[in-house]
Amino acid sequence: MPRSPTDDSDLEDFSINYMAIIIDKMAGRLHVSEITTDDEAQDEYITSLLEHNDFDAMQGIFYRAAIRDGDSYAMVEPQTLRWTAEPAYDGFSGVVAIFSPSQDYPIWACKLWSEAENQDLAEDETSSMTVMRMDVYQPGLITYWRGGIGEQEVEPDGDDQPWSLGFVPIVHFANLIDNYTQYGKSELRKAIPIQNVLNRTLHSMVMASEF
């Protein structure tokens, strides 16, 4: 049995832990052991590619993020051609994608995140500022941009990179997707109102016990 929460910080941990149980239980049932085709040569290539990118370990990240947020993405890093796990855009960072009319694949995407950047003010003096960075992915080109937080304009941040694959190098993992939407839905959406009631009840119980 988990211990009962005794203060506000414990209440938050209490809620997070129970939400994590829901996510982990569902993600634990999802596992791709192999991908096969009718061509043995292709099967060998796919198997070596999955092993090279540690897909067996990475797929759990994709599934948990899709269940939790509704969407997650596997992105091919253009410099190394290795796969990375990317979350959906949360209003400040993550991946935004625009899909084809048939919704089968993304035709445009961008990855946004923030990072600290040091600036030289004078001799032996530096200042740190937060900048937003954006990588824009198109079927034949990848461009890099940067801008200050709250600013309306962005500027190029590095040389453009041709991308001869012809497709945006992103694979979409969606939860509860249907034929009428391009994005998934969080598995926790229906649980949040119940969780709010539980949090209020637990908080009231703690306050009542103190008085």
Side-chain angles (χ1 to χ4, degrees):
M1 278 292 289
R3 63 185 177 85
S4 298
T6 56
D7 56 35
D8 288 345
S9 61
D10 284 344
L11 286 174
E12 183 176 356
D13 293 339
F14 200 62
S15 302
I16 292 173
N17 289 337
Y18 273 106
M19 289 296 191
I21 290 174
I22 297 173
I23 296 170
D24 290 340
K25 279 290 186 181
M26 291 192 61
R29 300 189 183 103
L30 304 172
H31 182 77
V32 176
S33 58
E34 62 178 353
I35 299 176
T36 58
T37 68
D38 295 331
D39 189 324
E40 291 186 3
Q42 287 186 359
D43 292 348
E44 292 180 2
Y45 170 75
I46 292 172
T47 299
S48 64
L49 184 64
L50 295 177
E51 291 177 351
H52 177 70
N53 284 282
D54 299 322
F55 181 73
D56 193 47
M58 288 183 62
Q59 60 177 310
I61 301 175
F62 302 141
Y63 302 151
R64 285 193 297 272
I67 293 169
R68 182 188 65 238
D69 305 327
D71 302 275
S72 65
Y73 299 90
M75 178 180 288
V76 179
E77 289 289 349
Q79 302 295 336
T80 63
L81 300 183
R82 294 294 298 267
W83 300 349
T84 62
E86 299 292 343
Y89 184 65
D90 63 2
F92 189 76
S93 64
V95 169
V96 178
I98 297 176
F99 293 87
S100 66
S102 62
Q103 305 178 10
D104 293 335
Y105 56 88
I107 57 176
W108 183 94
C110 69
K111 174 184 173 182
L112 299 99
W113 76 99
S114 64
E115 61 183 35
E117 186 175 89
N118 293 328
Q119 291 183 321
D120 293 330
L121 297 180
E123 187 176 355
D124 299 329
E125 292 185 11
T126 60
S127 175
S128 179
M129 64 175 294
T130 302
V131 298
M132 293 296 299
R133 297 192 182 277
M134 180 171 64
D135 296 351
V136 176
Y137 297 86
Q138 302 174 71
L141 184 68
I142 301 173
T143 56
Y144 306 94
W145 306 84
R146 54 160 288 167
I149 293 179
E151 295 181 1
Q152 298 295 322
E153 297 182 359
V154 296
E155 59 185 26
D157 185 34
D159 297 331
D160 298 347
Q161 179 172 335
W163 180 253
S164 58
L165 183 64
F167 292 92
V168 174
I170 287 178
V171 178
H172 182 209
F173 288 78
N175 184 56
L176 297 175
I177 197 169
D178 55 37
N179 293 330
Y180 305 100
T181 57
Q182 295 179 330
Y183 299 96
K185 296 179 181 179
S186 171
E187 200 70 35
L188 303 179
R189 175 176 293 186
K190 294 182 179 179
I192 289 175
I194 300 174
Q195 189 70 37
N196 291 338
V197 173
L198 176 61
N199 287 341
R200 288 195 299 268
T201 302
L202 291 173
H203 188 273
S204 297
M205 291 169 61
V206 171
M207 295 301 296
S209 67
E210 290 182 352
F211 292 104

